[in-house]
């Protein structure tokens, strides 16, 4: 069985898009996560991450060794200056796959759930070229919305960001029930397992230590997935090492992370 980390941590290797945007920079799709914390560990290249939160707009330099964390609600956009590569660490693995992320599309798209899903979803059966084109179109629409939001924040201050958060929450609200079930069966259950282990150690019972195991994971076959910010490499347990929920997978789908 693949070991679970408290918090349902997942990892992926991200090669940030080098596609040029309308504003002249190269990079990924601005987005936020509604309930999950995300971290970047930069492994190579150079670039920036642009963020928008209650603290305002910020630019942070990225180079090998940089580590940054984003709590839920932080809008972030990766900028690739020279071969930017990251290891992405995500809390609540399973929830990002289920649509925890919201892209910064223009407000009229965010208000229309069907329009949002149509703009955010890549063609499942498309060729590499078709999926790349769709991912780039999705990215460009989110960059347009992000630029509009920045201007709106300049004009109206924090209320503009609060309005965006309201639209994001309304978009994902129909999924909240299924997210709670997933969280209860994975993250909460794993936290409870740790509680039991702490109690066992306090009682002098080391039995769970005898269940220790080493599990190797291997790269998933096929080309890297088209994530929001770049091409994603994820891992799967070797045959015989799987579990019903693989916490070392990364996210995918119309509202994927990174």
């Amino acid at each position: 069985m693949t070991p679970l980390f408290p918090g349902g941590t997942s990892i992926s290797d991200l090669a940030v898009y080098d596609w040029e945007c309308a504003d002249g920079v190269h990079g990924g799709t601005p987005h936020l996560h509604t309930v999950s914390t995300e971290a970047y560990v930069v492994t190579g290249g150079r670039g920036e991450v642009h963020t928008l939160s209650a603290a305002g707009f910020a630019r942070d330099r990225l180079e090998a060794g940089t580590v940054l964390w984003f709590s839920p609600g932080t809008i972030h956009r990766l900028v690739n200056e020279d071969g930017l590569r990251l290891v992405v660490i995500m809390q609540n693995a399973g929830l990002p796959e289920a649509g925890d992320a919201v892209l910064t599309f223009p407000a009229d798209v965010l208000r229309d759930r069907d329009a949002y899903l149509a703009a955010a979803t890549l063609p499942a059966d498309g060729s590499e070229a078709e999926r790349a084109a769709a991912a780039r179109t999705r990215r460009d629409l989110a960059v347009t919305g992000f630029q509009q939001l920045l201007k709106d924040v300049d004009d109206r201050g924090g209320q503009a960001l609060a309005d965006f958060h309201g639209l994001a929450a309304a978009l994902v609200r129909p999924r909240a029930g299924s997210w709670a079930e997933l969280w209860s069966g994975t993250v909460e259950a794993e936290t409870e397992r740790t509680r039991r282990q702490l109690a066992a150690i306090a009682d002098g019972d080391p039995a769970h230590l005898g269940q220790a195991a080493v599990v190797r994971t291997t790269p998933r076959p096929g080309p890297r997935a088209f994530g929001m910010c770049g091409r994603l490499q994820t891992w799967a347990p070797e045959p015989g090492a799987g579990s019903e929920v693989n916490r070392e997978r990364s996210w995918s789908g119309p509202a994927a992370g990174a």
Side-chain angles (χ1 to χ4, degrees):
M1 179 176 180
T2 304
L4 305 183
F5 287 148
T9 306
S10 69
I11 60 173
S12 59
D13 177 74
L14 176 66
V16 180
Y17 292 132
D18 59 4
W19 301 328
E20 187 173 3
C21 304
D23 58 1
V25 302
H26 301 71
T29 307
H31 65 283
L32 59 71
H33 293 276
T34 58
V35 296
S36 299
T37 293
E38 182 176 8
Y40 293 158
V41 180
V42 182
T43 58
R46 294 182 296 106
E48 293 184 337
V49 60
H50 298 175
T51 59
L52 180 62
S53 67
F57 176 73
R59 299 170 181 256
D60 283 281
R61 294 294 304 168
L62 300 178
E63 58 186 16
T66 301
V67 178
L68 289 175
W69 297 81
F70 309 106
S71 56
T74 302
I75 299 170
H76 46 287
R77 176 196 185 188
L78 278 170
V79 173
N80 184 359
E81 296 175 354
D82 180 21
L84 186 59
R85 292 283 296 269
L86 316 169
V87 170
V88 179
I89 305 171
M90 178 65 70
Q91 179 197 25
N92 294 328
L95 298 190
E97 294 93 328
D100 165 51
V102 174
L103 290 74
T104 58
F105 292 152
D108 60 333
V109 178
L110 294 173
R111 292 189 185 99
D112 184 334
R113 181 175 174 79
D114 290 338
Y116 177 87
L117 292 176
T121 304
L122 303 185
D125 298 324
S127 66
E128 277 283 292
E130 290 169 337
R131 290 176 63 78
R136 189 164 185 169
T137 297
R138 176 176 71 178
R139 189 279 311 270
D140 290 345
L141 184 62
V143 168
T144 296
F146 184 55
Q147 292 170 332
Q148 292 174 353
L149 178 58
L150 289 175
K151 183 179 184 304
D152 198 18
V153 169
D154 283 342
D155 293 341
R156 299 196 296 123
Q159 186 58 50
L161 183 59
D163 289 346
F164 178 85
H165 286 163
L167 292 174
L171 267 174
V172 302
R173 183 180 180 185
R175 302 183 180 190
S178 61
W179 287 357
E181 292 180 7
L182 175 61
W183 179 86
S184 178
T186 55
V187 180
E188 185 179 37
E190 179 58 18
T191 301
E192 172 60 21
R193 185 172 74 96
T194 302
R195 188 199 65 77
R196 293 196 303 269
Q197 291 174 345
L198 288 170
I201 291 295
D203 290 342
D205 177 6
H208 66 276
L209 300 180
Q211 302 169 11
V214 176
V215 177
R216 179 185 296 275
T217 58
T218 56
R220 293 186 184 278
R224 286 173 174 259
F226 288 96
M228 289 189 297
C229 293
R231 301 299 300 267
L232 290 169
Q233 174 66 69
T234 61
W235 292 266
E238 290 185 344
S243 65
E244 290 185 4
V245 178
N246 172 23
R247 308 312 292 171
E248 293 184 348
R249 70 186 179 183
S250 186
W251 47 92
S252 60

